[in-house]
Amino acid sequence: MAVRWHARLDSIPISLPPSGAPIINAMKSSLAHILLNRDGPKIQPGSRSYERSWIRDGALTSAALLRIGGTREVRQFIDWYVPFQYGNGKVPCCVDHRGADPVPEHDSHGELIFLIAEYVRITGDTAVARVHWPNVVAAVNYIDTLRRQRLTPEYDAPDKRHLRGILPPSISHEGYSAKPAHSYWDDFFALRGLKDAVELGYALGETAEAARIAALRDTFRVDLVESIENAMRVHKIDYIPGAADLGDFDATSTTIALAPGGELRYLPRAAVERTFDRYYEEFIKRRDGPQTWEAYTPYEFRVPGSLVRLGERERALEVLDWLFKDKRPPEWNQWPEVVWRDQRIPRFFGDVPHGWVASDFIRSVLDLFAYEDERETGAALVIAGGVREEWMR
């Protein structure tokens, strides 16, 4: 058993000098925690508070697994989750022992398509895409149905133009669970799904359907960017808001637009840069200022990957280093869903280790070494965009 575990964890293909050993060890532990939290084919963020499978967590965790050899586990998760899709194409946000959860969360449809496409991209196994192509098309059509709810004449009015053409309110973003909001998190995943559906369609020779979806993708992207620009004007802000109707600041949510969204070149660049500049400014206050903060979520591990894509190597490493030290307990390679400054405070912290947090950590560390950048001329592989100079030397 020990030999098998060592072989599996040694699949992480990174070798660093001694100063980088803690990062590699934590990546191996994170991979182990993800695998241990599985229940058969089900990828789960935990085994206590979160003994259920979300397509949101599962898709992003699968993206991490695929980059370090976890193709078998991802294939099993895809084949298990897809049958829970509803007849109208809606993809449930999560599934547990009771079955699919019908909660109104609109990121799930794009996430399922992204999951299938990412598996195909990494493995070349188009047979999976062929088997699940009807599910992909059904999810695309459901995204279109949702979008059309915000294309009625009502949303041509000046006070509602910032809501036009995007997905209706949902609670997929946990911060909006008390009241559904027009979350751009949903829209970025929907656009990612539409892009991936086009790619899968052409790969399978489904050219007519791929062309139809491509037209939907392009129209949706135009409406989404216009919505963001209009929301910034309505709320008098200079950053990408988390939700169109709130104008809230949430850089951790906006990371999805860059990875896996791949939309950096289409979004208003100044607003994207201001979003992550503001994040960094607030991060510095938290790190170096008076210790007034109570808690944060280590989902912020997604931010270093975005900073690397913006050419901010040093900032990415500063954020990564600070988040890395907040392991709980400090000597263990694991993070809870919520980190409290006072470690003894009796408050909810979710499962620890938390599988989705572990996968965000893995993806951002891998991005330091290599990531795929979607450009007008095609995809480019960016090498060592976030690697420390001392490691280079």
Side-chain angles (χ1 to χ4, degrees):
M1 178 64 75
V3 172
R4 288 203 299 271
W5 270 108
H6 277 294
R8 183 69 180 86
L9 302 184
D10 286 342
S11 67
I12 295 177
I14 299 174
S15 177
L16 292 177
S19 63
I23 293 286
I24 301 305
N25 290 338
M27 288 186 71
K28 291 181 179 181
S29 297
S30 295
L31 172 57
H33 297 150
I34 289 169
L35 297 176
L36 287 167
N37 279 337
R38 292 173 72 234
D39 187 356
K42 310 168 192 175
I43 293 176
Q44 302 178 154
S47 298
R48 184 177 60 89
S49 297
Y50 296 121
E51 180 72 9
R52 57 196 333 213
S53 293
W54 280 264
I55 188 63
R56 174 168 52 248
D57 305 43
L60 290 174
T61 300
S62 292
L65 286 173
L66 286 168
R67 292 173 69 179
I68 50 177
T71 56
R72 178 178 61 87
E73 293 88 358
V74 175
R75 172 65 187 270
Q76 290 174 350
F77 180 65
I78 292 171
D79 290 340
W80 172 76
Y81 204 97
V82 166
F84 290 102
Q85 185 178 25
Y86 295 102
N88 63 354
K90 176 181 178 178
V91 177
C93 62
C94 65
V95 177
D96 60 18
H97 66 280
R98 300 168 300 178
D101 195 329
V103 170
E105 300 190 9
H106 299 325
D107 56 339
S108 52
H109 329 298
E111 286 157 355
L112 179 66
I113 303 171
F114 162 71
L115 169 61
I116 295 170
E118 190 75 349
Y119 177 84
V120 173
R121 274 190 289 267
I122 298 293
T123 67
D125 182 6
T126 55
V128 172
R130 173 59 65 191
V131 169
H132 298 306
W133 175 244
N135 304 94
V136 169
V137 173
V140 166
N141 292 340
Y142 190 74
I143 290 172
D144 192 29
T145 298
L146 291 173
R147 177 176 172 270
R148 289 179 183 276
Q149 295 179 26
R150 292 297 179 271
L151 286 173
T152 60
E154 173 187 358
Y155 294 95
D156 290 328
D159 63 336
K160 291 192 175 181
R161 284 287 299 179
H162 60 301
L163 306 178
R164 185 186 181 280
I166 61 175
L167 303 190
S170 89
I171 61 170
S172 57
H173 184 300
E174 293 175 354
Y176 310 143
S177 57
K179 181 182 179 182
H182 290 81
S183 172
Y184 286 126
W185 170 279
D186 293 344
D187 298 299
F188 291 134
F189 268 117
L191 183 53
R192 177 74 264 177
L194 295 176
K195 292 196 299 184
D196 286 336
V198 173
E199 182 179 320
L200 290 173
Y202 283 122
L204 294 173
E206 301 283 352
T207 54
E209 192 71 320
R212 177 185 74 86
I213 300 171
L216 173 59
R217 172 202 63 196
D218 295 344
T219 303
F220 182 60
R221 178 184 283 126
V222 169
D223 288 342
L224 174 55
V225 173
E226 287 184 358
S227 169
I228 291 171
E229 293 172 341
N230 286 328
M232 290 171 63
R233 283 192 288 270
V234 166
H235 299 292
K236 297 180 173 57
I237 57 178
D238 58 359
Y239 54 82
I240 306 291
D245 42 354
L246 301 178
D248 54 326
F249 178 74
D250 190 349
T252 309
S253 172
T254 306
T255 58
I256 295 302
L258 280 62
E263 290 298 300
L264 179 57
R265 69 187 178 96
Y266 293 103
L267 295 171
R269 180 69 182 231
V272 175
E273 291 180 351
R274 178 57 195 145
T275 301
F276 290 97
D277 283 346
R278 175 171 167 177
Y279 169 85
Y280 181 74
E281 292 163 6
E282 295 183 359
F283 161 76
I284 290 298
K285 290 178 183 177
R286 191 188 343 156
R287 186 190 68 179
D288 301 340
Q291 297 298 295
T292 57
W293 62 276
E294 270 196 305
Y296 73 90
T297 62
Y299 295 134
E300 289 184 33
F301 269 124
R302 291 196 289 268
V303 174
S306 294
L307 290 171
V308 168
R309 285 168 171 78
L310 290 169
E312 298 284 358
R313 179 201 308 258
E314 295 308 317
R315 288 184 175 184
L317 293 171
E318 285 182 58
V319 173
L320 184 67
D321 287 345
W322 194 81
L323 298 174
F324 186 82
K325 72 174 180 55
D326 270 341
K327 302 184 291 292
R328 293 292 188 269
E331 297 79 12
W332 291 27
N333 291 326
Q334 61 184 29
W335 295 268
E337 183 182 28
V338 182
V339 168
W340 294 90
R341 184 170 61 85
D342 182 351
Q343 298 185 36
R344 298 179 62 83
I345 195 168
R347 298 279 182 86
F348 175 81
F349 54 80
D351 277 334
V352 56
H354 193 282
W356 190 13
V357 170
S359 74
D360 282 341
F361 168 71
I362 290 173
R363 289 191 306 118
S364 266
V365 172
L366 292 175
D367 285 347
L368 303 181
F369 297 90
Y371 67 89
E372 200 170 88
D373 186 32
E374 296 184 28
R375 303 179 179 181
E376 192 169 356
T377 55
L381 189 65
V382 180
I383 304 294
V387 173
R388 299 179 192 276
E389 290 186 15
E390 64 190 85
W391 293 348
M392 290 285 204
R393 289 195 297 269

